[in-house]
């Protein structure tokens, strides 16, 4: 024990110097300017670009380029190909669900190995309860950038047209959701709405199905162990599919659902709380309430992404850390808050509109979204989505579908 203490003291003495150096601008640490490209899901018209522009305006010696590369899965697939050809991305916006895959397969860097002092400075600007989300295999692999949680969005225009009670509780249940969808269906059936049915987010059905399973007391994964065929998971999946079987849920992909929601054609949507900013600016009046509980039970999951460093070149890795430090600053977080994600930083940033339900769920405690382990974890997500879709489409009953999903997932999630 004495030997360990001595070693630790030596390490801490060394990191004190590192911490002091980490506060210097990048230009003082590097022999020349550096360019860092961030693979992201956002275009030049999004708030992330504003964060990049604000950082570049400081002329620190690091230039950051935001490159839109598709959704989380598309980005991870492209990164895998780039790494195989010896050209890893410097940085990538990485979905929480790819934490194991990012570290074990893509080689996301441990920020402490790049710059221990700056790593602690960066993570210290976030609430302690989010640090575990970016800690994989004891390595701090990113900055917790965006956090959301699935909530229920109500189109108040269609709600009033259907003659429903406008005194809507914040804390709603699955039984309530189905009852309201049935009443809307009866009241608006045959009208000229392209769709008016209660829609759930099918592009993220591994996310919303996880919420239903957890609200029924189950899990998809318990650590690295598959438990998606438990009695509780079957109950949750049965409830999840109930509105489909009752023909109260129109099956559509994420992009179609988003388009229909903001066109005013869906009355009830359960999807990401990150739509808050867009919903507040829409011509439609939306109300946000909590994700439906099951018999009073709710154990909600989070979603979103982290900013990870993949650069193998040490100068580019340190340059990436400089950008991360700005992202963690109050200035960076205030710019980013325009999107509507939950504020997980320690900075006191005013709450955005239509965030009451998401904040209530955050305060109650959020679990991570399913983080698929194993080198083939990326495939695991697709397998899960496919089996959920088969259950929703009525090809198989929940018990059979979950058992077969477990069999197909087993070889993919082995570490």
């Amino acid at each position: 024990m004495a030997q360990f203490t001595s070693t630790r003291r030596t390490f801490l003495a060394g990191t004190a110097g590192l911490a002091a150096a980490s506060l210097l601008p990048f230009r003082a640490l590097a022999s020349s300017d550096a360019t860092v490209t961030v693979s992201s899901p956002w275009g030049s018209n999004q708030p992330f670009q504003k964060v990049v522009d604000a950082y570049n305006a400081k002329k620190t010696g690091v230039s950051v380029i935001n490159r839109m590369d598709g959704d989380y899965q598309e980005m991870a697939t492209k990164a895998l190909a780039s790494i195989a050809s010896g050209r890893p991305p410097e940085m990538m916006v990485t979905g929480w669900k790819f934490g194991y895959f990012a570290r074990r397969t893509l080689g996301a860097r441990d920020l402490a190995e790049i710059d221990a002092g700056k790593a602690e400075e960066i993570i210290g600007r976030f609430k302690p309860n989010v640090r575990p989300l970016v800690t994989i295999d004891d390595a701090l692999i990113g900055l917790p950038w965006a956090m959301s949680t699935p909530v229920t969005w109500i189109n108040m225009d269609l709600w009033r047209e259907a003659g429903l009670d406008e005194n809507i509780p914040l804390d709603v249940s699955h039984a309530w959701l189905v009852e309201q969808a049935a009443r809307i269906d009866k009241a608006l059936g045959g009208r000229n709405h392209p769709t008016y049915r209660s829609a759930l987010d099918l592009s993220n059905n591994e996310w919303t199905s996880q919420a239903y399973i957890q609200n029924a007391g189950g899990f998809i994964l318990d650590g690295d162990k598959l438990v998606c065929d438990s009695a509780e998971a079957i109950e949750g999946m049965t409830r999840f599919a109930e509105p489909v079987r009752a023909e109260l849920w129109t099956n559509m992909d994420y992009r179609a659902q988003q388009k229909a929601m903001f066109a005013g054609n869906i009355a009830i949507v359960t999807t990401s709380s990150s739509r808050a900013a867009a919903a507040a600016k829409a011509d439609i009046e939306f109300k946000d309430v909590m994700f439906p509980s099951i018999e009073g039970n709710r154990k909600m999951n989070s979603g979103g992404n982290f900013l990870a460093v993949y650069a193998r070149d040490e100068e580019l890795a340190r340059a990436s850390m400089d950008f991360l430090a700005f992202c963690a600053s109050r200035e960076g977080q205030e710019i980013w808050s325009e999107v509507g994600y939950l504020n997980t930083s320690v900075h006191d940033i005013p709450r955005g509109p239509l965030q009451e339900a998401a904040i209530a769920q955050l305060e109650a405690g959020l679990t991570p979204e399913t983080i698929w382990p194993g080198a083939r974890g990326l495939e695991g997500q697709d397998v899960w989505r496919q089996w959920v879709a088969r259950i929703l489409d009525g090809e198989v009953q929940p018990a059979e579908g979950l058992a077969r999903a477990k069999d197909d997932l087993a070889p993919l999630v082995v570490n």
Side-chain angles (χ1 to χ4, degrees):
M1 181 63 72
Q3 184 177 3
F4 173 81
T5 304
S6 174
T7 302
R8 178 174 172 79
R9 286 174 179 166
T10 302
F11 171 76
L12 290 174
T15 57
L18 281 171
S22 73
L23 299 176
L24 295 172
F26 178 81
R27 190 184 296 278
L29 301 175
S31 57
S32 61
D33 291 355
T35 299
V36 171
T37 298
V38 184
S39 174
S40 93
W42 302 297
S44 59
N45 61 337
Q46 299 297 317
F48 184 70
Q49 183 66 50
K50 294 182 182 179
V51 176
V52 170
D53 291 343
Y55 175 77
N56 286 337
K58 296 183 179 298
K59 301 187 183 301
T60 65
V62 178
S63 296
V64 176
I65 297 172
N66 170 35
R67 185 182 70 206
M68 183 177 177
D69 278 341
D71 61 25
Y72 297 144
Q73 187 161 352
E74 289 167 339
M75 286 189 294
T77 301
K78 290 177 182 178
L80 188 61
S82 296
I83 290 167
S85 63
R87 297 179 292 102
E90 284 91 53
M91 294 182 65
M92 184 169 72
V93 177
T94 309
W96 297 117
K97 67 190 81 174
F98 297 135
Y100 287 125
F101 186 78
R103 177 62 176 167
R104 298 173 183 177
T105 303
L106 299 181
R109 299 288 301 273
D110 183 347
L111 301 187
E113 290 181 356
I114 300 171
D115 187 328
K118 184 160 281 185
E120 286 303 315
E121 173 194 347
I122 289 168
I123 198 63
R125 293 178 178 175
F126 292 88
K127 296 172 183 176
N129 64 341
V130 300
R131 181 169 184 155
L133 293 175
V134 285
T135 302
I136 300 292
D137 297 336
D138 298 322
L140 180 66
I141 65 167
L143 176 153
W145 184 236
M147 178 172 283
S148 57
T149 182
V151 298
T152 305
W153 295 100
I154 296 174
N155 179 326
M156 293 303 296
D157 297 337
L158 292 182
W159 194 266
R160 295 186 184 102
E161 186 177 346
L164 273 61
D165 185 355
E166 294 185 38
N167 294 315
I168 303 170
L170 178 66
D171 187 345
V172 301
S173 69
H174 170 75
W176 175 91
L177 181 80
V178 175
E179 179 184 356
Q180 305 315 308
R183 294 178 65 188
I184 291 167
D185 182 60
K186 182 177 180 180
L188 302 184
R191 302 290 182 91
N192 293 321
H193 302 292
T195 175
Y196 52 81
R197 300 180 185 277
S198 174
L200 299 183
D201 191 335
L202 293 180
S203 73
N204 280 329
N205 59 22
E206 82 279 358
W207 197 34
T208 43
S209 60
Q210 179 191 349
Y212 261 91
I213 285 172
Q214 289 186 180
N215 289 352
F219 287 97
I220 297 171
L221 283 166
D222 184 3
D224 288 357
K225 183 181 178 183
L226 284 165
V227 291
C228 60
D229 61 342
S230 69
E232 293 81 5
I234 292 169
E235 174 64 18
M237 188 60 69
T238 300
R239 299 294 188 94
F240 185 59
E242 184 180 347
V244 181
R245 305 294 172 84
E247 298 184 347
L248 297 171
W249 167 357
T250 297
N251 233 340
M252 60 183 74
D253 66 28
Y254 180 82
R255 289 180 177 88
Q257 182 221 63
Q258 185 175 37
K259 182 178 179 180
M261 174 179 170
F262 289 112
N265 298 329
I266 312 178
I268 304 172
V269 179
T270 62
T271 191
S272 175
S273 62
S274 64
R275 287 192 183 170
K281 295 175 183 177
D283 294 332
I284 302 156
E285 180 186 347
F286 287 104
K287 182 177 179 61
D288 61 309
V289 298
M290 297 172 79
F291 193 89
S293 64
I294 295 180
E295 294 169 359
N297 298 314
R298 184 184 288 108
K299 190 168 188 176
M300 292 305 301
N301 45 322
S302 64
N305 55 68
F306 58 96
L307 300 180
V309 177
Y310 295 88
R312 297 295 179 264
D313 179 272
E314 290 306 313
E315 185 169 307
L316 288 175
R318 294 198 307 276
S320 300
M321 292 287 285
D322 201 69
F323 177 59
L324 287 183
F326 175 75
C327 290
S329 70
R330 181 181 180 87
E331 182 181 357
Q333 289 290 301
E334 283 183 333
I335 297 170
W336 179 240
S337 69
E338 294 179 25
V339 180
Y341 282 104
L342 291 164
N343 175 27
T344 59
S345 76
V346 297
H347 307 300
D348 184 16
I349 297 173
R351 176 190 299 185
L354 297 177
Q355 288 194 331
E356 185 179 5
I359 290 172
Q361 291 177 188
L362 175 64
E363 291 176 349
L366 299 176
T367 73
E369 60 184 312
T370 301
I371 303 177
W372 300 97
R376 299 176 65 189
L378 197 61
E379 297 173 58
Q381 176 184 263
D382 276 341
V383 168
W384 178 254
R385 282 182 176 179
Q386 290 164 13
W387 277 111
V388 171
R390 289 171 186 169
I391 293 169
L392 297 180
D393 290 340
E395 292 182 24
V396 293
Q397 293 300 311
E400 179 187 354
L402 292 177
R404 292 173 67 179
K406 182 179 180 180
D407 289 342
D408 286 353
L409 286 166
L412 302 179
V413 300
V414 175
N415 294 320

